[in-house]
């Protein structure tokens, strides 16, 4: 869920030559990167810095995206790799409210926020869009 200013994202996309765009956001939970050897022994654990951005899962696509897709492709992998080579993929960096809802724990967190009146993602109700 997100309070993304969709009009702004779409305007920047429409004014570009890109065929696809997605939002780049900070992960909502702490993540660590591990390194280990073939024996499975960990050699390091590094926490990802606040400067790391991830694909936030909100996309804007032009119909020509289908020219870059082949049967069995996963959108973010093969077609986006083709777009990157042609410099036709852009991102919209966003630092507002964004949280993934991938697990039951995530849903519970959103339910708790909702019950407490914290409904940041409801841009249609809070005039933040």
């Amino acid at each position: 869920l997100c309070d993304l200013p969709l009009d702004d994202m779409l305007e920047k996309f429409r004014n570009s030559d890109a065929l696809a765009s997605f939002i780049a956001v900070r992960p909502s939970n702490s993540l660590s990167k591990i390194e280990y050897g073939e024996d499975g022994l960990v050699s390091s654990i590094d926490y990802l810095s606040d400067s790391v951005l991830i694909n936030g899962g909100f996309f804007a696509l032009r119909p020509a995206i289908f020219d870059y897709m082949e049967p069995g492709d996963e959108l973010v992998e093969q077609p986006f790799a083709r777009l990157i080579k042609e410099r036709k993929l852009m991102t919209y960096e966003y630092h507002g409210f964004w949280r993934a809802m991938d697990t039951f724990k995530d849903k519970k967190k959103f339910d708790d926020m909702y019950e407490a009146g914290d409904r940041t993602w409801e841009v249609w109700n809070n005039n933040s869009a």
Side-chain angles (χ1 to χ4, degrees), residues 45-96:
I45 298 176
D46 294 312
Y47 288 93
L48 298 178
S49 72
D50 286 344
S51 64
V52 171
L53 296 173
I54 63 170
N55 174 353
F58 286 75
F59 300 93
L61 307 167
R62 298 187 197 278
I65 188 68
F66 295 108
D67 297 336
Y68 290 79
M69 298 176 78
E70 297 175 6
D73 279 357
E74 176 67 35
L75 177 66
V76 176
E77 293 178 30
Q78 301 90 348
F80 277 14
R82 294 177 191 115
L83 292 174
I84 289 168
K85 285 181 184 176
E86 294 186 22
R87 301 186 46 79
K88 299 234 180 241
L89 178 65
M90 67 181 292
T91 190
Y92 181 90
E93 189 172 326
Y94 186 61
H95 296 283

Side-chain angles (χ1 to χ4, degrees), residues 5-68:
L6 189 57
D7 290 343
D8 188 53
M9 177 192 174
L10 292 175
E11 180 181 345
K12 288 180 180 177
F13 176 62
R14 288 182 184 118
N15 291 329
S16 76
D17 292 329
L19 295 180
S21 179
F22 62 92
I23 66 167
V25 297
R26 286 194 175 99
S28 59
N29 53 0
S30 62
L31 300 172
S32 57
K33 176 185 132 193
I34 61 168
E35 293 187 21
Y36 60 94
E38 288 183 25
D39 57 5
L41 294 175
V42 175
S43 57
S44 70
I45 298 176
D46 294 312
Y47 288 93
L48 298 178
S49 72
D50 286 344
S51 64
V52 171
L53 296 173
I54 63 170
N55 174 353
F58 286 75
F59 300 93
L61 307 167
R62 298 187 197 278
I65 188 68
F66 295 108
D67 297 336
Y68 290 79

Side-chain angles (χ1 to χ4, degrees), residues 29 100-112:
N29 53 0
M101 187 164 56
D102 297 327
T103 67
F104 181 76
K105 181 179 175 182
D106 296 334
K107 183 190 180 307
K108 175 71 172 118
K109 174 70 175 163
F110 280 120
D111 288 346
D112 292 347

